[in-house]
Amino acid sequence: MVHPEDMKKVLDAFQSSMDSCSEYAVDHRIIRPSGEVRHVQERGGTVCLFSGKTPAHAMGTVLDVTERAQAEEELRASEEKMRAMSESSYDAVIVVDENDVISFWNSAAENMFGWKVEEVIGRKLHPLITPKDYLHQVGDGMKQFARTGQGPLIG
């Protein structure tokens, strides 16, 4: 039932377990008799005798994770679409977390503020772009916004 494109990685994982008398885990696809393709997570191990040199038996489980795999693929596609839209925008698109740490910075933000993406990811936004006289107000405004989802940062 293992999907032909996944057969090598499944066999390699199992063989490695047999050779080393250890556990293995591999995500792969199966093809059901109806032709339906499902995503599974397989975990198993080999029990050995004689000081761990002779495989006695192998055992394991296979868990259907199709819904999770589909959700992950939909999320990847959505993120890619958002990234493509953000990168083609003439407006600065900046994403920060509740601590004001930058996780996304598009090319329009680079052009507007002069900071390259690799210079800003992981740094706090407002110390980079806010005039010093307003930093305290902006900090308070960000905390309020993070807590309530409302309110201006300044004024």
Side-chain angles (χ1 to χ4, degrees):
M1 294 176 70
V2 175
H3 193 287
E5 292 174 8
D6 296 342
M7 185 65 77
K8 181 175 178 356
K9 74 176 176 179
V10 172
L11 290 176
D12 287 350
F14 182 72
Q15 188 62 54
S16 177
S17 172
M18 293 288 286
D19 292 345
S20 62
C21 296
S22 62
E23 296 180 351
Y24 72 97
V26 61
D27 290 350
H28 63 92
R29 295 166 292 171
I30 61 170
I31 303 174
R32 297 183 58 177
S34 66
E36 177 188 20
V37 175
R38 304 293 292 180
H39 293 261
V40 297
Q41 180 181 70
E42 180 176 335
R43 294 179 185 264
T46 302
V47 176
C48 292
L49 303 175
F50 307 113
S51 303
K53 303 216 186 277
T54 306
H57 64 274
M59 60 184 160
T61 61
V62 178
L63 176 66
D64 187 335
V65 294
T66 302
E67 286 75 21
R68 183 187 76 195
Q70 289 170 339
E72 288 171 354
E73 180 54 37
E74 289 170 8
L75 179 59
R76 269 191 296 280
S78 176
E79 287 173 346
E80 184 54 38
K81 185 187 290 183
M82 179 63 179
R83 185 170 304 283
M85 290 183 337
S86 298
E87 285 301 328
S88 65
S89 175
Y90 293 112
D91 294 322
V93 178
I94 303 166
V95 178
V96 297
D97 66 13
E98 67 275 3
N99 296 312
D100 196 35
V101 175
I102 301 167
S103 61
F104 182 82
W105 182 272
N106 74 346
S107 57
E110 286 185 2
N111 294 335
M112 184 179 291
F113 296 107
W115 295 90
K116 297 286 184 198
V117 67
E118 55 274 0
E119 297 174 306
V120 298
I121 297 298
R123 292 180 64 183
K124 289 186 177 279
L125 171 66
H126 288 94
L128 294 176
I129 67 169
T130 304
K132 288 184 179 23
D133 294 345
Y134 294 100
L135 274 176
H136 183 71
Q137 276 182 283
V138 169
D140 291 344
M142 280 295 292
K143 288 176 190 168
Q144 170 74 14
F145 186 80
R147 196 170 51 253
T148 66
Q150 299 178 19
L153 297 184
I154 299 176

